Amino acid sequence: MSEPATPAPAELLPTGLPAGLRAELATQRGEFQLEVQLEVPPGQITGLFGRSGAGKTTLLRCLAGLETCRGSIQVGAESWLSEARSLAPHERRVGYVFQGAALFPHLDVAGNLSFAERRAPADAPLQRADVVSWLGLGELLHRRPETLSGGQAQRVAIARALLAAPKLLLLDEPVASLDLQARAEVLGHLEVIHRRLALPIVYVSHTPADLARLADHLVWLEAGRVRAQGPAAELWGGLQLGAELGAEALSVVQAEVKEHHEEHHLTELTCPWGTLWVRRHEGQPGSQVRARIWARDVSLDLDPPGRSSALNVLEVEVQEILARPPAEALVRLGSPAAPTSILARITTRSREALGLEPGAKVYARIKTVSLGRGDGPGAPA
């Protein structure tokens, strides 16, 4: 699998870019009604999550001006929607990437990019050479869309959206139709874009793992309403979202690269509760990484670990327990001082056998830990 090169700690490109987005929107389509208050923090990826029919695409279309709605949209200092007026889609400077790339079939890749550049203002902060480099398009410029793979086409679509100099980038399940390798490549390139640009991005996905990898901020949409929104790591570690995700429940833990152990091809991380081990990661010592831990991969012990093959064992406290009758319980683990938590999905029988209650000290054995960029399987237990 080819990985995009990790850029050096780079200058963000702030020219003309807004501080963020605030929106209060309402619309009705048949019996479905959307009423949301949304905030997209500056320079962050906001993940938009919810079941099919929750209103995710409708919300994006309202932001882009493709759907009639009432309310307000404020992007930086600009008002796109108010009681007094509504800017047309071409006036909103929105980059919109759909599940299908929707490239112009009569133009090659370079022609598709040129079309976007002609729509950009004269003071556009991005240069084609930079965007082509970040998205790995150098060898594709003279190819026609029908000759591109799905992943290649989506990278071109993202480049085309960026070269139009948007003030807001909307990504509507851009990797949903891709295979695992193409999906990982596109997500890796999006991380590069995120590090390079102080651009608010809204990313829609049905896949919790993708959102946990990319999103700094999370909005949980349910039946046209915002069920919860806030810092992604805090929401992932909550019992309600964990219960909604079921077998896909996970936690996101901010960790710091401590040291690389080349002889075992492992990287040692420091997190709020101790040490985590992952497969060799390219991050420099002292750099921050995002560790993803699936609740199904966490088991609990009352006794400290003895001689064992388990690499990742953390001493934590039971914060909350949510019973999932008849056979399961979801346990939120952490410490009063840490803002994030780890979820464990265990059986009701195990909870009763351990006598678990809030405040109990336990040892969490973690089978696998995954990091952000295309790392594949996490370090084994």
Side-chain angles (χ1 to χ4, degrees):
M1 179 190 306
S2 63
E3 289 286 347
T6 302
E11 71 287 354
L12 295 177
L13 301 180
T15 307
L17 294 176
L21 174 145
R22 292 177 182 271
E24 185 171 346
L25 302 172
T27 190
Q28 187 150 356
R29 299 172 60 187
E31 295 183 356
F32 176 78
Q33 187 173 28
L34 179 78
E35 282 191 36
V36 300
Q37 290 183 327
L38 178 71
E39 182 169 349
V40 177
Q44 292 192 5
I45 295 180
T46 293
L48 189 56
F49 170 79
R51 295 183 178 183
S52 295
K56 302 184 296 297
T57 296
T58 300
L59 175 54
L60 260 58
R61 288 177 58 83
C62 287
L63 293 172
L66 301 175
E67 192 89 20
T68 301
C69 63
R70 61 188 183 278
S72 63
I73 301 175
Q74 187 83 17
V75 180
E78 295 182 8
S79 174
W80 288 3
L81 175 67
S82 66
E83 291 184 2
R85 66 169 186 164
S86 175
L87 294 186
H90 70 275
E91 297 175 306
R92 296 193 181 195
R93 299 272 299 279
V94 171
Y96 201 143
V97 178
F98 304 89
Q99 183 173 331
L103 301 177
F104 298 119
H106 62 290
L107 299 176
D108 61 12
V109 169
N112 272 272
L113 300 185
S114 295
F115 175 85
E117 289 176 310
R118 289 194 292 271
R119 297 178 55 224
D123 63 347
L126 296 181
Q127 301 297 317
R128 179 192 288 212
D130 292 328
V131 175
V132 166
S133 173
W134 298 342
L135 287 160
L137 302 179
E139 297 181 356
L140 305 178
L141 292 175
H142 300 296
R143 297 263 298 272
R144 291 277 184 171
E146 69 269 16
T147 71
L148 302 176
S149 69
Q152 290 169 338
Q154 285 300 76
R155 285 189 276 138
V156 175
I158 294 166
R160 187 176 63 178
L162 290 173
L163 286 173
K167 294 191 173 183
L168 174 68
L169 184 60
L170 306 177
L171 304 174
D172 194 355
E173 300 197 68
V175 300
S177 61
L178 305 182
D179 61 35
L180 290 177
Q181 177 173 331
R183 178 192 218 90
E185 289 174 351
V186 171
L187 293 177
H189 287 291
L190 284 173
E191 287 173 323
V192 173
I193 295 298
H194 179 34
R195 284 193 291 267
R196 289 291 192 179
L197 299 178
L199 179 68
I201 299 172
V202 180
Y203 184 97
V204 171
S205 178
H206 281 101
T207 307
D210 292 351
L211 291 173
R213 173 175 174 170
L214 289 178
D216 310 293
H217 190 80
L218 193 64
V219 177
W220 176 11
L221 205 61
E222 185 176 89
R225 306 290 193 276
V226 174
R227 174 81 179 267
Q229 64 179 312
E234 294 182 15
L235 264 66
W236 289 124
L239 292 180
Q240 297 304 316
L241 183 54
E244 172 76 8
L245 296 177
E248 295 302 309
L250 53 78
S251 309
V252 174
V253 176
Q254 197 70 18
E256 181 178 299
V257 176
K258 180 180 180 181
E259 185 179 355
H260 299 299
H261 297 259
E262 303 293 351
E263 70 277 19
H264 298 123
H265 200 68
L266 293 172
T267 293
E268 184 179 356
L269 308 176
T270 301
C271 78
W273 309 285
T275 297
L276 291 173
W277 296 86
V278 297
R279 296 192 190 277
R280 178 65 166 84
H281 184 67
E282 75 277 5
Q284 296 299 312
S287 63
Q288 296 293 309
V289 294
R290 184 182 299 181
R292 294 172 293 169
I293 300 170
W294 271 259
R296 62 177 181 264
D297 287 339
V298 181
S299 61
L300 303 179
D301 289 330
L302 294 180
D303 300 320
R307 299 180 65 181
S308 168
S309 66
L311 291 178
N312 290 313
V313 182
L314 300 175
E315 185 175 1
V316 289
E317 179 181 300
V318 174
Q319 304 287 297
E320 291 182 278
I321 302 174
L322 178 65
R324 301 281 288 163
E328 290 186 353
L330 198 61
V331 184
R332 185 171 69 86
L333 308 162
S335 60
T340 56
S341 306
I342 297 174
L343 295 180
R345 188 166 170 250
I346 64 173
T347 64
T348 301
R349 184 177 185 277
S350 294
R351 179 202 172 175
E352 292 174 352
L354 295 175
L356 293 184
E357 296 294 342
K361 297 291 193 297
V362 295
Y363 295 89
R365 296 176 182 264
I366 302 168
K367 183 178 179 182
T368 59
V369 179
S370 295
L371 297 185
R373 291 189 59 250
D375 50 311

